[in-house]
Amino acid sequence: MEKMGLNKIREEFLSFFESKEHFRRQSFSLVPEKDKSLLLINAGMAPLKPYFAGIETPPSKRMTTCQKCIRTGDIDNVGYTDRHGTFFEMMGNFSFGDYFKKEAISWAWEFVTERLHMPVDKLWATVYENDDEAYNLWKDMIGLPEERIVRLGKDDNFWEIGTGPCGPCSEIYFDRGEAHGCGSPDCKPGCECDRYVEFWNLVFTQFDKDEDGNYSDLPHPNIDTGLGLERMACVMQDTSSIFDVDTVKYIREGVENVSGVNYCDGKADTDVSIRIITDHLRSMTFMIGDGILPGNEGRDYVLRRLIRRAAMHGRKLGISGPFLSELCDRVIDTSGGAYPELEKRRIMIKRVVNAEEQKFASTIDQGMNIIDEYIADMVVAGSKVLEGAKAFKLHDTYGFPIDLTKEILGDKGYTVDEEGFRAEMELQKQRSRTEQEMEGAGWKNDDKSIEFSGETEFVGYESLNSASVIKSIVKDEDFAETAEEGDKCAIVLDKTPFYAESGGQVADSGYIYSDNGGVARVDDVKKSGKVFIHHVEIIKGSLNTGDKIDAMVTAPDRNMTAAGHTATHMLHRALQEVLGDHVKQSGSYVDRNGLRFDFSHYQAMTPEEINKVEEIVNDKIRHFIPVTTKVMNIEEARKEGAMALFDDKYGDTVRVVSIGNFSRELCGGTHVANSGNIGAFKIVSESGVASGVRRIEAITGQGILRSYNKELDTVNSVAAALKANKDLLTEKAAALIEENKSLKKELEELKKAEMSKGLDSLLDDAKEINGVRLVAKEFSDCTINDLRELSDSIKADNKNVAMVFAAVSGGKVTFMVSLTDDLVEKGLHAGKMIKEIAAAAGGGGGGKADMAQAGAKDPSKIPDAFAKAEELI
């Protein structure tokens, strides 16, 4: 049997089934597209469920894939066993109502014996105990001896999950020989020993199970097979460990090189860490390659957990500093040919890993020290369980995932109160919800206190005014028939041109004019279900239920807001072009003054990237691209490539906003008719708002003009203050800075000279207490560094001197205690002294034995502090 490489096995499998008229599809993303039950794709058939369920039509009735998969359910076993890993590749051939058992079994046999040249006498098959059809196919069609066909029960050879499609399985095993067996004469597939390795599972989906447990035949049975690539490579390369397979071994050797620790075939304690890092490198590389970024929820949290776990095990191997990003190259080098997205996103993958590892490195030492303190406390208390509140603090403050804390403590023989940890997490969520409710207090809560029926027809996409009828008025938290001048109330119309706050876009403002002369100013609009609620102030006359009115939106405000909203769509697309398609919108806010756009990204943008994004958006503005909207069903929107948060809930019908072929998004907001209506686009800031989330603030059109005028006023004011031509401000400012530096330097030198002159007088004024000379002195306009230099000068030529200095600045005082070395040797301690000295003036602090400093709030208490120093000495 040829020792075939992993990449060659994959290609042999896919090309073989291509020759059997199977549609060969590139692996689906690890991010499930239409399955909310999964965080990550964890099986070869998982992305194909819509085809098996008949919800979607497959591209062919026969398909073959090699699917990248992530499973973290048994992550605790990774590194400790030969075969557990979080990342693996699952090869499969599938039939959607086309061929069935005969073809599936014969092609599987043909592939393993003729393509892989596996020895026939080493191959065994298992079938479900009642599946005579499969048994006879193996016996009569394949010619496999009956003693090498094993019938197994439902637990082993029947696939079903709850109700619905299910069916028997047939598995193919490889006999590794007696040396790997248990010695029992009955040893065969199904035995718990390591002799027989199952590598291919053929699932015959032929039944439909109902709620009562009855099985009926499916009209169109399916084939679903799974062949683990790494496991197949173990067999073909005659190794019992996935970490010795050629491609995985190459990554493992990289870990050995970086750490300087040799791998000992799983026999050394350090091998566990080497294996964990090797496996997690594969997972993190593929996950980031599919656009996942480290975060605190869902699949983002899985990625963060894997990166931090690998980094922690790097520390265990003695690796100092970030190292994972460079090793990602080895994953890409071995798998980039089969998965081109890895090569395409190589730079991004490495940057994301490095950024996350750097972030963790900044807290890991502090977190480990905290854990050591907690363990010391548990030793004293005689406890083996870390309190949930403390585990939560490690998670919330130091970024230690609970699983990592459990692992670190587990290595030392301790556990975590996970129930207490979850309780703390829930308390935090409740606090967060309360804060959000407080932020949204006001009209929003008032709206919820009133039940509104029916719905409001929104005509604001087509027009900025409408002839409407007042359906109801709410005043003082109750329905009313009339609202008078000066009243603030809520009004519901039968139809409205006013956009209600939604999707990050603020509500329209404007006026309502009644036929009877009443006028109301519309300050805000909210939605309650399908009802638009206009929050207004009556500024003239009165408004009554049933009044016919003219509703008029303030056009300039709407137009500027619409321009900003369209600009957010263009910004979103431009960010993806410049930074990568991992960029996804995390939130937005648009009003007449500008826009704010939050997006997923792993590091701060460079000035060059910001300029590039800005230029792309402005280029599209200059091309005057038509902005169109189209209402369609959600599936049509997906097929047209409309960007959306498809994890969110959408109705059957959605509104798609397209800016030519440049941008296409689901959106219910208002937009300009043409990109040229935006005028211009300017980014004013880029910053981080959360882990893995960046924020851009920008302005458009009129906002840019306002900003320019404001800055021009500032320039003119500065020029007038400096008595300089505004065209020469840069040169003037540079000259002033240099002059200021020179003057400061001169002042510092004068100050040092003056302080040096006063050394002798300071010592002359010292009080001698029990053989110690106490120098207590108050200074103004001196920095703590000045006082340090003064104390060093005194200590250089003197003994038995204790200095207590007070520097007063801005109504606050900084104390410093400095002791000569001989006093420290006699037992005096500056750090302990300063706590009591500063406390006398309402402050606190600490430090080392020879020098310490502290802050205090009350300069009038300096004499009391000096008195305390005398008392202490």
Side-chain angles (χ1 to χ4, degrees):
M1 182 172 65
E2 177 189 352
K3 284 196 174 183
M4 194 175 292
L6 181 142
N7 287 327
K8 189 171 191 301
I9 297 171
R10 184 197 303 109
E11 180 54 35
E12 287 289 338
F13 180 89
L14 295 173
S15 62
F16 174 80
F17 281 101
E18 265 191 307
S19 73
K20 303 300 182 184
E21 300 178 340
H22 285 62
F23 171 69
R24 173 173 173 170
R25 192 199 188 281
Q26 185 71 23
S27 172
F28 290 84
S29 169
L30 283 167
V31 180
E33 291 182 12
K34 304 166 188 177
D35 190 345
K36 295 181 181 179
S37 67
L38 294 175
L39 274 183
L40 295 156
I41 294 299
N42 60 4
M45 63 80 64
L48 306 175
K49 283 195 279 188
Y51 302 151
F52 283 115
I55 298 171
E56 294 184 15
T57 303
S60 168
K61 286 191 172 184
R62 299 179 182 183
M63 282 184 68
T64 184
T65 64
C66 183
Q67 176 63 44
K68 47 196 174 186
C69 303
I70 296 279
R71 287 182 190 170
T72 58
D74 51 10
I75 191 173
D76 292 336
N77 292 322
V78 175
Y80 295 91
T81 70
D82 287 337
R83 296 177 188 170
H84 278 103
T86 58
F87 176 83
F88 61 95
E89 297 177 61
M90 185 61 72
M91 303 185 293
N93 58 289
F94 311 95
S95 167
F96 308 107
D98 186 31
Y99 62 82
F100 201 47
K101 293 181 186 179
K102 177 183 176 182
E103 292 84 354
I105 291 173
S106 64
W107 287 338
W109 187 257
E110 181 183 346
F111 176 70
V112 298
T113 58
E114 296 184 21
R115 282 289 184 104
L116 300 187
H117 306 293
M118 297 180 75
V120 173
D121 62 339
K122 296 287 186 181
L123 296 174
W124 291 60
T126 64
V127 297
Y128 175 52
E129 57 190 358
N130 296 332
D131 191 356
D132 294 333
E133 180 185 4
Y135 185 92
N136 291 330
L137 285 170
W138 280 113
K139 178 172 70 74
D140 300 330
M141 179 180 70
I142 300 302
L144 196 64
E146 288 190 72
E147 62 269 20
R148 298 217 307 273
I149 310 172
V150 181
R151 292 181 185 265
L152 295 175
K154 205 167 188 180
D155 289 343
D156 294 297
N157 275 59
F158 197 92
W159 181 87
E160 65 180 356
I161 302 176
T163 59
C166 56
C169 310
S170 180
E171 297 177 322
I172 308 176
Y173 284 76
F174 180 78
D175 180 4
R176 300 173 63 209
E178 292 182 4
H180 299 276
C182 58
S184 169
D186 295 326
C187 185
K188 58 187 175 182
C191 182
E192 293 297 322
C193 72
D194 292 332
R195 176 172 178 175
Y196 297 95
V197 178
E198 177 266 312
F199 61 86
W200 203 344
N201 186 15
L202 315 177
V203 180
F204 312 128
T205 312
Q206 63 186 95
F207 300 121
D208 186 28
K209 182 182 178 182
D210 64 22
E211 297 285 350
D212 298 323
N214 301 311
Y215 296 89
S216 57
D217 291 335
L218 285 172
H220 302 291
N222 303 312
I223 290 294
D224 161 24
T225 83
L227 173 58
L229 179 55
E230 289 83 359
R231 184 169 290 192
M232 189 75 257
C234 282
V235 173
M236 297 299 295
Q237 297 175 28
D238 191 24
T239 175
S240 59
S241 169
I242 62 171
F243 298 99
D244 290 319
V245 168
D246 60 334
T247 54
V248 184
K249 181 181 178 182
Y250 178 68
I251 302 165
R252 189 200 79 203
E253 289 172 342
V255 180
E256 293 178 71
N257 294 340
V258 171
S259 65
V261 178
N262 292 324
Y263 183 71
C264 301
D265 298 323
K267 298 172 184 173
D269 291 341
T270 51
D271 287 354
V272 172
S273 293
I274 292 173
R275 285 176 166 184
I276 286 173
I277 296 168
T278 300
D279 169 76
H280 290 7
L281 276 165
R282 301 177 80 208
S283 293
M284 68 180 76
T285 302
F286 275 89
M287 290 174 75
I288 299 167
D290 280 345
I292 302 170
L293 296 177
N296 292 327
E297 294 184 358
R299 62 183 71 94
D300 300 342
Y301 175 75
V302 173
L303 174 59
R304 168 161 287 168
R305 178 185 172 194
L306 291 170
I307 294 175
R308 295 192 168 191
R309 193 168 187 251
M312 180 64 75
H313 280 277
R315 291 293 184 99
K316 286 187 176 183
L317 294 176
I319 303 173
S320 60
F323 68 99
L324 294 171
S325 64
E326 292 305 313
L327 291 176
C328 289
D329 279 325
R330 289 194 170 229
V331 181
I332 299 168
D333 291 343
T334 56
S335 300
Y339 301 98
E341 65 273 13
L342 298 182
E343 188 60 60
K344 176 184 174 185
R345 296 169 185 154
R346 182 188 290 263
I347 294 174
M348 187 200 84
I349 290 168
K350 294 177 65 176
R351 284 179 177 172
V352 171
V353 171
N354 184 64
E356 181 64 20
E357 196 177 4
Q358 293 271 21
K359 188 180 299 179
F360 188 45
S362 66
T363 61
I364 190 171
D365 290 331
Q366 193 174 5
M368 289 299 292
N369 290 335
I370 297 293
I371 289 176
D372 289 340
E373 290 177 13
Y374 288 163
I375 290 175
D377 292 342
M378 286 190 285
V379 170
V380 172
S383 172
K384 285 287 185 178
V385 182
L386 180 67
E387 297 169 21
K390 291 182 176 179
F392 177 75
K393 182 179 180 181
L394 282 165
H395 161 82
D396 195 44
T397 306
Y398 301 103
F400 272 60
I402 180 64
D403 308 279
L404 193 54
T405 300
K406 284 167 54 183
E407 185 172 334
I408 295 168
L409 288 170
D411 289 344
K412 299 174 185 292
Y414 296 88
T415 59
V416 177
D417 175 13
E418 294 185 63
E419 187 174 334
F421 173 83
R422 286 191 291 271
E424 291 291 330
M425 284 286 285
E426 184 57 36
L427 281 173
Q428 187 192 53
K429 289 178 182 177
Q430 290 176 7
R431 287 192 295 268
S432 178
R433 282 194 292 267
T434 300
E435 288 169 3
Q436 290 175 2
E437 287 170 4
M438 289 300 291
E439 288 176 4
W443 280 115
K444 188 173 181 181
N445 286 347
D446 291 345
D447 295 343
K448 289 182 177 179
S449 67
I450 300 291
E451 291 288 336
F452 293 100
S453 59
E455 62 181 87
T456 306
E457 179 188 356
F458 178 60
V459 296
Y461 291 137
E462 300 82 24
S463 176
L464 295 184
N465 55 73
S466 71
S468 306
V469 175
I470 296 178
K471 302 291 288 183
S472 57
I473 298 173
V474 174
K475 188 171 65 172
D476 298 328
E477 298 186 16
D478 202 355
F479 287 103
E481 288 298 315
T482 301
E484 304 287 346
E485 186 174 326
D487 285 345
K488 290 184 177 181
C489 59
I491 290 179
V492 176
L493 307 175
D494 63 336
K495 60 181 176 181
T496 182
F498 288 93
Y499 181 82
E501 180 182 343
S502 179
Q505 178 179 330
V506 298
D508 287 329
S509 60
Y511 292 88
I512 291 174
Y513 299 94
S514 171
D515 286 356
N516 65 14
V519 180
R521 185 184 66 244
V522 179
D523 295 319
D524 197 7
V525 187
K526 304 285 188 184
K527 282 181 74 172
S528 177
K530 295 183 179 181
V531 177
F532 285 60
I533 303 157
H534 306 74
H535 298 292
V536 308
E537 180 176 353
I538 312 300
I539 59 176
K540 182 181 177 182
S542 63
L543 295 181
N544 307 286
T545 302
D547 279 358
K548 292 182 178 180
I549 59 97
D550 287 324
M552 302 186 69
V553 173
T554 302
D557 287 356
R558 160 70 83 85
N559 292 337
M560 286 188 286
T561 302
H565 200 152
T566 305
T568 64
H569 287 220
M570 298 167 73
L571 171 61
H572 192 182
R573 186 71 196 101
L575 285 167
Q576 291 181 328
E577 286 191 8
V578 174
L579 303 179
D581 54 15
H582 64 280
V583 169
K584 296 291 184 292
Q585 178 177 338
S586 299
S588 67
Y589 178 83
V590 185
D591 64 15
R592 66 185 299 275
N593 296 312
L595 63 96
R596 185 179 72 217
F597 188 80
D598 297 346
F599 60 99
S600 55
H601 190 51
Y602 49 88
Q603 63 182 16
M605 292 176 66
T606 66
E608 292 77 17
E609 288 170 338
I610 292 172
N611 290 338
K612 182 64 176 173
V613 167
E614 202 174 79
E615 178 54 35
I616 289 173
V617 175
N618 280 307
D619 179 66
K620 299 304 177 185
I621 290 172
R622 290 192 295 269
H623 276 77
F624 283 77
I625 303 170
V627 179
T628 59
T629 59
K630 184 179 178 183
V631 176
M632 60 184 76
N633 65 51
I634 189 70
E635 285 306 318
E636 286 179 309
R638 284 194 177 106
K639 288 175 182 176
E640 289 201 6
M643 280 198 292
L645 302 176
F646 283 116
D647 286 340
D648 287 356
K649 293 180 180 178
Y650 290 95
D652 295 332
T653 308
V654 294
R655 184 169 179 262
V656 177
V657 177
S658 300
I659 305 167
N661 294 319
F662 177 62
S663 166
R664 187 169 288 114
E665 291 193 37
L666 270 61
C667 182
T670 64
H671 292 271
V672 296
N674 189 290
S675 66
N677 298 141
I678 298 171
F681 174 82
K682 179 65 181 174
I683 294 174
V684 294
S685 70
E686 191 271 352
S687 60
V689 292
S691 179
V693 180
R694 308 295 301 176
R695 170 172 293 173
I696 279 178
E697 295 189 31
I699 49 180
T700 61
Q702 188 72 21
I704 296 175
L705 182 59
R706 283 198 303 267
S707 176
Y708 171 77
N709 287 333
K710 184 178 179 181
E711 289 185 7
L712 185 60
D713 289 342
T714 301
V715 169
N716 288 333
S717 297
V718 172
L722 297 180
K723 297 179 181 178
N725 187 310
K726 65 182 180 183
D727 295 332
L728 300 175
L729 272 181
T730 302
E731 292 85 345
K732 181 71 172 180
L736 284 172
I737 290 170
E738 280 303 314
E739 183 180 350
N740 190 44
K741 283 182 181 177
S742 178
L743 290 171
K744 283 180 71 175
K745 185 177 180 182
E746 185 178 332
L747 184 61
E748 290 295 323
E749 290 173 353
L750 288 171
K751 189 188 295 182
K752 288 178 182 177
E754 190 65 30
M755 292 179 75
S756 296
K757 286 180 186 177
L759 283 180
D760 292 338
S761 61
L762 278 176
L763 292 169
D764 290 340
D765 293 339
K767 284 187 179 181
E768 188 164 330
I769 307 170
N770 294 331
V772 176
R773 287 185 291 170
L774 172 63
V775 177
K777 178 71 174 176
E778 178 182 338
F779 297 87
S780 59
D781 297 324
C782 281
T783 67
I784 197 69
N785 286 331
D786 294 332
L787 299 184
R788 282 200 191 99
E789 290 185 12
L790 178 60
S791 74
D792 288 343
S793 297
I794 292 175
K795 289 200 290 187
D797 299 313
N798 294 277
K799 291 186 177 182
N800 291 325
V801 179
M803 289 155 278
V804 180
F805 296 149
V808 180
S809 179
K812 294 183 180 179
V813 59
T814 302
F815 286 103
M816 190 184 82
V817 175
S818 182
L819 305 174
T820 54
D821 292 342
D822 57 310
L823 293 182
V824 174
E825 291 172 4
K826 291 177 181 177
L828 273 70
H829 194 290
K832 294 177 180 177
M833 290 175 65
I834 204 164
K835 288 182 181 178
E836 296 190 53
I837 291 169
K848 298 179 180 179
D850 64 332
M851 185 177 290
Q853 70 184 66
K857 300 176 182 177
D858 190 352
S860 69
K861 299 289 186 181
I862 290 176
D864 295 341
F866 288 163
K868 174 58 70 173
E870 292 184 26
E871 178 188 323
L872 291 171
I873 291 174

